[in-house]
Amino acid sequence: MLAALLLPLLLAAGPGRAGAGRERRDALREELLLSPLPAGDVAATFQFRTRWDADLQRGAVSHYRLFPKALGRLVAALGVRELHLALTQGFWRTQAWGQPPLQAPAGAELWVWFQPTVTDVDKAWKELSNILSGIFCASLNFIDSTNTVTPTASFKPLGLANGTDHHLLRYAVLPREVVCTENLTPWKKLLPCGSKAGLAVLLKAERLFHSSYHSQAVHIRPVCRDASCLAVSWELRQTLTVVFDTFSSGQGKKDWSLFKMFSRTLTDACPLASQSKVYVDISPKNKEKELLEVTPPPVSVHEAIVQGDKRTYAVYDLLSPSLFNTSRSLNVQLKWKRPQDSSELPTPVLHAQRYVSGYGLQTGEISTLIYNTHPYRAFPVILLETVPWYLRLYVHTLTIVTKGKENKPSYIHYQPAQDRRRPHLLEMLIQLPANSVTKITIQFERALLKWTEYTPDPNHGFYVSSSVLSALVPSVIAMKDMDVEQSPLFTSLFPSSDGSSYFVRLYTEPLLVNLPTPDFSMPYNVICLTCTVVAVCYGSFYNLLTRTFHVEEPSRGGLAKRLANIIRKFRGVPPL
Amino acid sequence: MGLLSDPHCRRALSRLVLRLNTPLCTLSYVAGLGWFLALAFQPLAPRTYMSENAMGSTMVEEQFLFGERALSYAREFAGHKKKAGGMPVAWLEKTMWNLGLEVHRQPFSRTLPFPDETRERYMVKGTNVYGILRAPRAASTESLVLSVPCSEGPHNNQAVGLMLALASYFRGQIYWAKDIIFLVNEHDLLGMEAWLEAYHDVNITEVRSSGTLGRAGAIQAAIALELSSDVITSFDVAVEGLNGQLPNLDLLNLFHAFCQKNGLLCTIQGKLQRSDWDSLPAYAHSLQTLLLMVLAQASGRPHGDHGLFLRYRIEAITLRGINSFRQYKYDMTTVGKTLEGMFRKLNNLLERLHQSYFFYLLPSLSRFVSIGVYMPAFGFLILESRPGLLALVPPLLICHAAGLALYFLPVLGQHVATQHFPVSESEAVVLTVIAIYVAGMALPHNTHRVLAGGGSDRGWMTLKLLALLYLAVQLGCLALLNFSLGFLLAATMVPAAAAVQPNGPKVLLAVLLVLATPAVTLLLGIFLQRELVEAPAAVAEGWQLFLAAVAEGLLQHHLYGSLLFPFLALCAYPCWLLLWNVLFWK
C-alpha cells in the first residue's frame, strides 16, 4: 500500500537525479564477526547486506545494479514477500558454543511468506523451490507436500508486514541435504564483488569446508526505507557462518589468526561497499581476568548488548585508510593468555536436546529435553515439530513433564499426517519455569513402506528434521532500542520487541530413525518360494477339496452293454 | 501331485511310515548328529568374505604411532585408580576434556536380587565416564562406540590407556563422519547395561541412573576392548551376546581382515586357526572350536561387554588382548593401528551393517557355517513321526505350576530360607531352585485318574503326543533364535522323549529321562566345556561350577534380561515334566 503511494513520487524524482540517486538507491554493507566460542573454537559470521530502495513487487524494475537479478525477478514473478533459505552442513552445538547469532537446522531449510495477492500459494511454492534449486544447485526440488508445513505460530515475518495470515507461509526442511562447494559457488556469485575483493576474498571453499560447522543463508525481506517508514526498501542478506576447530588444527593450542583459518588475509574493502568492517568479540568471559589478546590493536571498540549479554567488540574498518598504513594486509590474530578449564564453560539460558528412545523396529519415542537455566525467570517457548508421515505419532502419549509435574501447554496446534501426502505438524506453547528441564515425549509407530518407497540406502535410516524452538528469552541487562542502520548487522536480523527480552530461535538435532526394512534381494526368493508352496501344497489341497468323489460302480457286461447302448442311442431310447 | 490325492498311494505311504517308524526316527536322529559333526569339516564351511561394499573396497592407511603415549596414559590411570580406590572419575573427565572431547558422566546404582558371590557384589554403585568426539560438519545422527570396562584390580589399565591415546589421535583427524563415543564403564556388564539403558532412555532392568547425558544419535557399531598387558601375543574375539545373539558377520570379518593386515594373531574361543584341514587332528580342532561356540552361545550369557549392545541392534564385538608364552609380541602401536583401521572403515559405512549373516557358527575365524547349512542338522533331530483331551488338563496345569514356582519362588523366598537354614542368600536361591526342580518330579502325577477316561492307553498316548508336539514347537522356535541352545536341548531331550512310555523297562527309561533333563544337560555341558578348553574338572569342582552357573543364570536374567532361565523354567521344564508324567502314567 505504502509503495503504491510512493511510486509516483519516485518516478517524478527519477530522471533528474539519476547520477546521484543511484548511489543512494542501493547500498552494500559487508561485515565479518569473529567470535571465540566458550569451548575454544572460533565462529566466523559473514554478513553481506544489499539494500535497495526500489519496489520489486511492481515489476517496474528492469535495471539491476547490486541486487542480484536472479533473486529480484524471482521475488517479483512469484509474489514473494519474504524468503529465507539456509543451507547447513553440521550442527550448531548450543551447549558448547553458546547462542548463535543465526542458527539453521542441519540440511536445507526454506521458509517463505507470500504476498496476499498470490492465489495459489502451493503452486507458487512448488515453482519457487524448483527455481531456487536451480539457482543454488541444491536438491530443493525434493520439497513437496510430504515435507512442507504451514506453522501457525513459530515463524513470523521478519520484515515489514501488514497482517500475518499464516496461510501465506510455507516451511520445509530437508535434513538429508549435503552442502558443499557446489552450493557455495552460486551463493558467492550473488555478491556484488564476487569473491574478488573485500571480505569475500576469505571465502575459500577449501578452508570453509575444513571446519566444524558451515551454514550459508539468504534472507530477502522488505524493510522500512527510513525512520518514518513511509516507503519500502528491499533487503537481501547473505550470511555465512563457519566454526573452525582450533583444537585439531592447532595441536591443542587454541590461538588463531585470519590466515590460519582462511589461508588468506584482508587487503581491501569491496569497492562497491559503503561499509566494510571486521568485528572481533573480545568481551571478557569472567570479570577479573582478561583472557585474550588481539593483534593488531583495534582502532575502535564497539560495545553492544547482544542476546542479553554485554559484549565488547574490537572493530577494524576496512574503509578507513589508517588501517592499511602500517602493513599492506590485515591479519587479525587472537591469543589465549592461559588455557581454559572445563568448569568455566557458561551454559546458555536456553538449550535443547532431542533423541529417539526405545529399541526394536516396531515402536519408539521421540524425546525432547528443553533446558531453562535462567536462575529466576520463567519464559514461554514455542516448539515446532515436523515428523514425516511414516512415523505414526500417537498423540495421546504426548507428555510434557517439568520438575516431575505435568506441564500443560497453553497452546497446541496439531495437524495429523496423511499417508504419502503431508507430515505431522505439532506446535506447542510451553511455559518453562526458571532453572528447569522440561521433557516432552511422544510415541510413534514405524510404518512399513511400500518396497518402492524406500530410499536407495534404506538401512541408513530415515531422517526426521530438527524441531524448532522460538522463544523470547528474558535478558539480564536492559537493552536499548538501536537504530538498525547504524548498528552492526549481526545484531539486527531479528527485531527486538522490547528492552527486557531478546528473541532466540534454536534448532535441535535431526534424528535418524530406522524403519523395518525388507531384504531387497528377497523378492526373487519370495517369488520362488511362494510359487513352490502354491504349486505343491495349495495345488494338491485344492485338488483334494474340490474333487467330487463317486463310488465307482463295477462295470458288468462291458462290450455287450456298450453295443446295446449304441443301438439304443440310435433308437432314441435312454441308455441302460 | 498324485501321491497325496490318490487314496491308495496315500494309504500305502502312511502304512510305510508307520511300520518303519522306529528305524526312521533313529535314522533321522543319527543323520542330524552326523550332519552337525560334518559342519566342522572345513571344506563344507565356506570362507568368510566381506559383504559390505563400503568396508570392503576402501583402503585405509593407518597412521597411529602413539603406543608409548598409550602406555604412559595407562600408567597414569593405574596410579589414579589406586589412589581413588576405584574408578578415577575426576581424572578421566579432566584428561578427556583436555583431549578435546565433550565429557559426560553417568552415576548409577543397582541392588542385585540376591548377592553375587563369585564377584562379591550386592549393592552396586558406580559411575560411567564417557567422552564424545563430535565429528566435524556432521549433525550427530550416527555414532560409533569404543568401550573399555574399568574393572577392579590392575586389569584393563592398558585398555584405558590405549583408548585415551586413540581418542587424542582421532581428535586431530578431519575425516570423521560419525561421532565417536569413548566410554569407560565401571562394574563391567552392570555399568554397560546402565549406560545403554540410559542412552536409549528405557528401563528394562532396575538400574537407576542420574545425570544429564550427552547423546550422539543412533549408534552404528561398538567395539569393547580388554587389555591387561603392555604387549600382546594375540587377540581373542568374543561374539556371543545376550540370549545367544550374534553380531553381523561383517564386523568379525573386518577384525579378521585388519589382524591379517597387521600380522596380528587372532583367535576365537581361544583357538588359533590351523593351516591344514585334511588331517584328523585339524578336524578335531575345528570341531572343538565349533562345540565351544555352541556351548557359549547356548549359555545365553553375554561373553563380554559387547553382548548387551546387540539388543539395541548395535553390532558389537569384544576384543581381548592375550599375553601368553608365544614368541612374537605386538606392542600398543600395532594394536592401536588395528583399532584405528577398524574405526575408519566403520566410519565409512553408509548403512548399518546388514549385508552379511546374523546367524552363523564358526569352526574357525575364517570359515563359517550359515543358517541354511546348520538348520538341517536340527531339522533331522526333531523330525518325529508319531500319532478325551480333558484328562490332560490337570497334568498340564500341574507341570506349568511347577515351572512358575521354579521361576518365582527362589528369589522371593530367599529371606525366608536364610532365616530358617544356615545358608547365605545366594546359596539359598540356588538350593531352592534345585529343590523345586527335584520336587517337581515327585509331584502327584496321577491326577488324571480322578477324571473318567483317564488311565487308559489312549490317555498316555495323547499326553505323549501333546508333550512331543509341545517340545517340537519349543525347540523349533528356539533354534531359530539361538541355534546352539536349541540343538543341545534337542540332542539330549529328543531320544528320551521319543522312547518314553509307561509300559516298558521303567527304571531304564527313568534314568534316561533324568539324564535328558535340562539341568543334567547343563551339568554335562559344563564338563564338556572344561574338557574342550583342556582343563577337565573333577566331580566336586563340576558341582560347584554347576551351582555357580545356576546362580549366574538367575542373575543374568534379572540384571540384563537374559531369557535362558525363564525359558527353562517356564517352557522346557514343564514339557519335561509332562514326559515324566507319561512315564508314571500307571
Side-chain angles (χ1 to χ4, degrees):
Chain A
M1 319 286 133
L2 290 172
L5 287 172
L6 264 144
L7 196 67
L9 222 145
L10 268 179
L11 286 175
R17 312 176 42 193
R22 211 171 275 155
E23 291 304 311
R24 197 179 53 80
R25 275 179 63 189
D26 50 359
L28 169 72
R29 283 172 69 184
E30 56 175 12
E31 175 184 301
L32 166 62
L33 167 68
L34 294 164
S35 34
L37 300 173
D41 304 294
V42 186
T45 309
F46 291 87
Q47 288 216 17
F48 300 91
R49 191 185 80 150
T50 311
R51 211 189 98 152
W52 194 10
D53 296 347
D55 194 357
L56 286 171
Q57 290 300 332
R58 293 287 138 191
V61 183
S62 59
H63 183 69
Y64 287 80
R65 206 175 76 100
L66 297 180
F67 203 94
K69 192 172 182 181
L71 293 180
R73 295 197 42 185
L74 188 68
V75 168
L78 293 173
V80 173
R81 194 170 68 198
E82 209 170 276
L83 182 150
H84 303 270
L85 166 70
L87 297 168
T88 309
Q89 184 71 14
F91 175 67
W92 184 277
R93 306 189 186 283
T94 315
Q95 216 175 335
W97 296 346
Q99 223 78 264
L102 285 167
Q103 205 188 352
E109 183 203 40
L110 176 66
W111 57 285
V112 175
W113 280 91
F114 289 95
Q115 296 283 357
T117 49
V118 177
T119 46
D120 191 348
V121 177
D122 286 319
K123 187 164 160 273
W125 167 249
K126 183 85 202 150
E127 210 168 315
L128 177 73
S129 56
N130 277 301
I131 294 173
L132 285 175
S133 160
I135 294 178
F136 291 100
C137 290
S139 325
L140 296 172
N141 52 324
F142 283 104
I143 291 177
D144 54 14
S145 67
T146 59
N147 47 29
T148 302
V149 288
T150 304
T152 55
S154 295
F155 290 89
K156 294 285 168 217
L158 295 185
L160 267 184
N162 36 8
T164 51
D165 177 9
H166 64 258
H167 294 296
L168 298 171
L169 170 67
R170 290 293 179 276
Y171 173 80
V173 174
L174 299 174
R176 218 187 165 167
E177 178 71 11
V178 179
V179 181
C180 202
T181 48
E182 60 177 13
N183 308 111
L184 181 69
T185 312
W187 184 90
K188 279 199 292 195
K189 278 188 181 163
L190 299 177
L191 296 173
C193 285
S195 50
K196 301 284 190 297
L199 295 176
V201 294
L202 298 178
L203 301 175
K204 202 176 166 191
E206 190 194 317
R207 301 299 305 167
L208 292 184
F209 289 101
H210 195 133
S211 57
S212 300
Y213 175 80
H214 171 103
S215 172
Q216 59 187 68
V218 172
H219 304 272
I220 301 175
R221 61 174 180 177
V223 291
C224 290
R225 189 167 297 178
D226 46 28
S228 58
C229 206
L230 288 169
V232 175
S233 294
W234 282 83
E235 182 195 79
L236 163 71
R237 272 180 200 243
Q238 285 181 258
T239 64
L240 186 134
T241 310
V242 225
V243 175
F244 288 99
D245 182 4
T246 48
F247 188 92
S248 68
S249 59
Q251 278 88 42
K253 285 185 84 178
K254 290 170 177 175
D255 302 340
W256 53 263
S257 67
L258 274 188
F259 187 75
K260 223 173 176 181
M261 291 190 292
F262 299 101
S263 67
R264 297 275 172 93
T265 51
L266 291 169
T267 50
D268 55 350
C270 169
L272 298 170
S274 58
Q275 192 194 64
S276 180
K277 280 181 178 169
V278 177
Y279 291 86
V280 182
D281 187 351
I282 51 165
S283 25
K285 291 285 181 292
N286 43 2
K287 299 290 171 281
E288 69 273 26
K289 275 172 232 144
E290 279 282 335
L291 275 176
L292 352 127
E293 185 185 11
V294 231
T295 46
V299 185
S300 62
V301 167
H302 175 82
E303 287 205 347
I305 292 160
V306 180
Q307 289 170 340
D309 215 358
K310 200 170 172 190
R311 304 274 176 92
T312 318
Y313 298 95
V315 186
Y316 300 90
D317 190 350
L318 296 189
L319 285 175
S320 85
S322 59
L323 190 66
F324 296 110
N325 274 351
T326 45
S327 70
R328 284 182 57 208
S329 66
L330 173 70
N331 181 21
V332 182
Q333 289 183 319
L334 186 139
K335 281 202 173 70
W336 292 90
K337 284 182 179 164
R338 60 182 179 84
Q340 279 185 306
D341 285 333
S342 55
S343 54
E344 285 176 11
L345 285 188
T347 41
V349 176
L350 173 70
H351 59 105
Q353 187 188 27
R354 192 163 71 138
Y355 54 91
V356 179
S357 43
Y359 61 92
L361 285 178
Q362 197 193 353
T363 55
E365 195 171 53
I366 296 178
S367 309
T368 313
L369 296 173
I370 307 177
Y371 296 82
N372 172 9
T373 58
H374 201 286
Y376 52 85
R377 284 284 296 274
F379 58 86
V381 61
I382 298 176
L383 174 75
L384 167 73
E385 292 246 25
T386 320
V387 179
W389 64 265
Y390 37 80
L391 302 186
R392 306 216 151 101
L393 290 186
Y394 293 144
V395 188
H396 72 278
T397 61
L398 175 72
T399 52
I400 305 166
V401 178
T402 313
K403 290 180 174 172
K405 276 184 298 197
E406 202 196 328
N407 187 341
K408 260 201 151 29
S410 42
Y411 169 75
I412 289 193
H413 171 72
Y414 174 68
Q415 192 183 33
Q418 285 175 354
D419 279 8
R420 298 173 182 87
R421 284 183 48 202
R422 71 171 191 215
H424 299 269
L425 167 71
L426 182 61
E427 264 186 308
M428 291 183 289
L429 183 68
I430 303 164
Q431 187 74 18
L432 304 180
N435 207 359
S436 68
V437 186
T438 305
K439 186 175 182 183
I440 301 154
T441 57
I442 186 163
Q443 290 178 9
F444 63 84
E445 189 185 82
R446 298 159 207 247
L448 194 62
L449 300 186
K450 291 179 184 164
W451 72 287
T452 47
E453 283 171 347
Y454 287 93
T455 49
D457 41 6
N459 281 288
H460 177 66
F462 290 76
Y463 284 88
V464 179
S465 57
S466 314
S467 50
V468 188
L469 292 167
S470 319
L472 280 175
V473 178
S475 160
V476 185
I477 306 159
M479 289 184 287
K480 289 174 295 195
D481 228 4
M482 298 166 294
D483 181 11
V484 176
E485 285 305 309
Q486 298 308 315
S487 58
L489 294 174
F490 59 87
T491 58
S492 59
L493 183 61
F494 291 115
S496 67
S497 55
D498 55 30
S500 64
S501 58
Y502 59 96
F503 181 78
V504 168
R505 178 165 291 149
L506 283 184
Y507 295 88
T508 60
E509 299 93 328
L511 302 175
L512 188 62
V513 181
N514 272 85
L515 294 186
T517 315
D519 177 357
F520 288 97
S521 66
M522 239 11 215
Y524 170 75
N525 300 353
V526 170
I527 291 167
C528 293
L529 192 72
T530 328
C531 290
T532 318
V533 168
V534 167
V536 175
C537 301
Y538 177 74
S540 54
F541 269 106
Y542 185 73
N543 195 350
L544 281 177
L545 288 171
T546 53
R547 181 176 290 190
T548 42
F549 291 92
H550 291 286
V551 181
E552 200 178 322
E553 282 180 32
S555 56
R556 260 172 291 165
L559 187 64
K561 194 175 172 185
R562 245 180 266 165
L563 274 175
N565 273 342
I566 290 169
I567 296 164
R568 285 173 82 96
K569 201 176 174 185
F570 278 117
R571 285 169 56 202
V573 192
L576 282 171
Chain B
M1 291 314 105
L3 206 65
L4 285 174
S5 46
D6 182 7
H8 288 292
C9 208
R10 232 177 342 160
R11 213 171 301 143
L13 200 69
S14 58
R15 208 177 299 143
L16 188 75
V17 170
L18 276 179
R19 205 175 51 212
L20 294 179
N21 182 22
T22 323
L24 274 179
C25 272
T26 325
L27 190 68
S28 99
Y29 184 76
V30 171
L33 283 186
W35 190 296
F36 178 76
L37 292 178
L39 292 180
F41 189 50
Q42 291 239 334
L44 288 188
R47 290 195 75 85
T48 53
Y49 56 91
M50 195 79 88
S51 302
E52 177 65 57
N53 284 330
M55 293 199 308
S57 57
T58 45
M59 291 303 293
V60 175
E61 191 190 334
E62 302 95 324
Q63 285 159 341
F64 179 79
L65 294 168
F66 308 102
E68 286 308 310
R69 194 189 289 178
L71 289 181
S72 75
Y73 273 130
R75 280 190 289 275
E76 215 175 321
F77 174 74
H80 284 275
K81 188 161 130 186
K82 214 174 213 172
K83 214 189 292 169
M87 187 141 120
V89 176
W91 180 83
L92 268 175
E93 281 185 326
K94 194 163 160 280
T95 315
M96 284 187 177
W97 199 82
N98 286 335
L99 293 178
L101 306 181
E102 187 189 310
V103 190
H104 300 273
R105 75 159 84 175
Q106 184 219 357
F108 64 92
S109 66
R110 173 80 165 100
T111 307
L112 272 55
F114 58 91
D116 181 359
E117 292 201 332
T118 46
R119 289 190 196 79
E120 292 175 352
R121 56 192 186 189
Y122 181 48
M123 286 163 81
V124 181
K125 270 200 173 76
T127 312
N128 296 326
V129 177
Y130 63 103
I132 305 177
L133 192 167
R134 297 291 184 185
R137 293 183 312 289
S140 290
T141 47
E142 297 169 280
S143 54
L144 303 171
V145 173
L146 175 61
S147 87
V148 171
C150 166
S151 15
E152 281 152 30
H155 294 298
N156 265 346
N157 292 341
Q158 280 79 358
V160 177
L162 182 61
M163 187 192 83
L164 291 173
L166 278 172
S168 102
Y169 169 70
F170 284 1
R171 181 64 177 82
Q173 309 306 313
I174 55 150
Y175 42 66
W176 299 113
K178 298 177 171 64
D179 290 3
I180 303 178
I181 301 176
F182 297 94
L183 166 70
V184 184
N185 54 312
E186 207 176 353
H187 301 297
D188 45 69
L189 285 166
L190 275 180
M192 199 73 243
E193 179 72 28
W195 187 81
L196 280 168
E197 285 189 15
Y199 190 92
H200 293 93
D201 200 8
V202 288
N203 201 350
I204 311 164
T205 61
E206 287 156 24
V207 178
R208 270 190 297 277
S209 60
S210 53
T212 55
L213 285 169
R215 289 185 173 82
I219 302 173
Q220 304 289 308
I223 291 175
L225 182 66
E226 294 176 19
L227 271 183
S228 301
S229 53
D230 288 358
V231 286
I232 63 159
T233 52
S234 63
F235 249 138
D236 188 47
V237 57
V239 286
E240 302 86 5
L242 189 68
N243 295 327
Q245 244 184 312
L246 298 172
N248 196 288
L249 191 58
D250 265 347
L251 192 59
L252 202 71
N253 293 339
L254 181 70
F255 165 71
H256 188 51
F258 273 97
C259 279
Q260 280 185 327
K261 189 178 174 192
N262 291 328
L264 267 171
L265 281 181
C266 47
T267 60
I268 187 159
Q269 317 294 349
K271 301 274 179 198
L272 206 60
Q273 191 181 346
R274 283 177 72 118
S275 51
D276 57 337
W277 57 265
D278 46 0
S279 63
L280 194 63
Y283 168 74
H285 185 81
S286 53
L287 184 63
Q288 226 174 3
T289 318
L290 184 72
L291 274 176
L292 272 173
M293 173 158 182
V294 166
L295 287 175
Q297 198 192 358
S299 75
R301 187 168 73 85
H303 283 249
D305 278 357
H306 75 282
L308 298 175
F309 280 96
L310 299 173
R311 186 211 305 263
Y312 301 91
R313 210 175 157 221
I314 300 165
E315 307 312 322
I317 50 173
T318 297
L319 305 182
R320 289 197 181 91
I322 307 286
N323 190 15
S324 65
F325 302 108
R326 279 178 212 283
Q327 202 175 357
Y328 296 106
K329 310 266 186 193
Y330 300 94
D331 59 353
M332 282 296 139
T333 309
T334 319
V335 178
K337 271 187 177 172
T338 310
L339 283 166
E340 185 206 342
M342 289 178 72
F343 269 93
R344 286 180 62 179
K345 284 237 183 171
L346 289 172
N347 180 51
N348 288 342
L349 277 182
L350 182 62
E351 303 179 72
R352 269 169 197 277
L353 286 171
H354 69 282
Q355 297 271 14
S356 196
Y357 296 87
F358 285 96
F359 298 96
Y360 51 85
L361 292 175
L362 296 164
S364 76
L365 203 47
S366 64
R367 305 233 166 220
F368 75 104
V369 183
S370 82
I371 183 167
V373 180
Y374 69 56
M375 261 336 220
F378 181 80
F380 280 128
L381 278 195
I382 64 161
L383 197 68
E384 287 288 332
S385 37
R386 292 233 166 194
L389 285 178
L390 193 63
L392 301 178
V393 174
L396 268 179
L397 281 182
I398 287 177
C399 292
H400 280 92
L404 280 175
L406 183 62
Y407 179 63
F408 285 114
L409 279 185
V411 176
L412 291 178
Q414 54 171 319
H415 297 296
V416 184
T418 43
Q419 275 164 16
H420 294 90
F421 300 101
V423 285
S424 71
E425 269 107 343
S426 69
E427 276 174 351
V429 171
V430 175
L431 293 178
T432 322
V433 169
I434 297 172
I436 296 177
Y437 199 97
V438 177
M441 292 158 61
L443 276 179
H445 288 309
N446 43 15
T447 39
H448 54 271
R449 284 182 207 158
V450 181
L451 297 157
S456 62
D457 265 3
R458 203 180 159 74
W460 74 258
M461 277 183 174
T462 326
L463 184 63
K464 185 173 174 189
L465 171 71
L466 203 72
L468 284 178
L469 282 178
Y470 190 32
L471 186 68
V473 169
Q474 266 179 27
L475 293 180
C477 294
L478 188 65
L480 284 178
L481 302 171
N482 183 347
F483 169 78
S484 302
L485 183 59
F487 181 82
L488 286 184
L489 285 181
T492 51
M493 284 179 85
V494 166
V500 72
Q501 52 177 341
N503 6 306
K506 216 168 221 175
V507 182
L508 186 67
L509 280 176
V511 170
L512 189 64
L513 203 55
V514 167
L515 279 180
T517 174
V520 177
T521 309
L522 175 62
L523 190 64
L524 294 178
I526 288 170
F527 282 116
L528 179 63
Q529 199 260 347
R530 295 304 292 256
E531 200 66 46
L532 287 173
V533 298
E534 285 145 17
V539 176
E541 195 192 346
W543 177 249
Q544 284 306 320
L545 283 173
F546 173 69
L547 293 185
V550 172
E552 182 77 21
L554 268 165
L555 270 181
Q556 299 275 341
H557 171 56
H558 287 282
L559 295 185
Y560 318 121
S562 158
L563 292 175
L564 180 64
F565 177 68
F567 171 77
L568 289 183
L570 298 177
C571 301
Y573 176 64
C575 184
W576 180 83
L577 276 184
L578 282 179
L579 294 167
W580 187 254
N581 222 329
V582 171
L583 184 64
F584 294 102
W585 188 260
K586 290 186 175 154

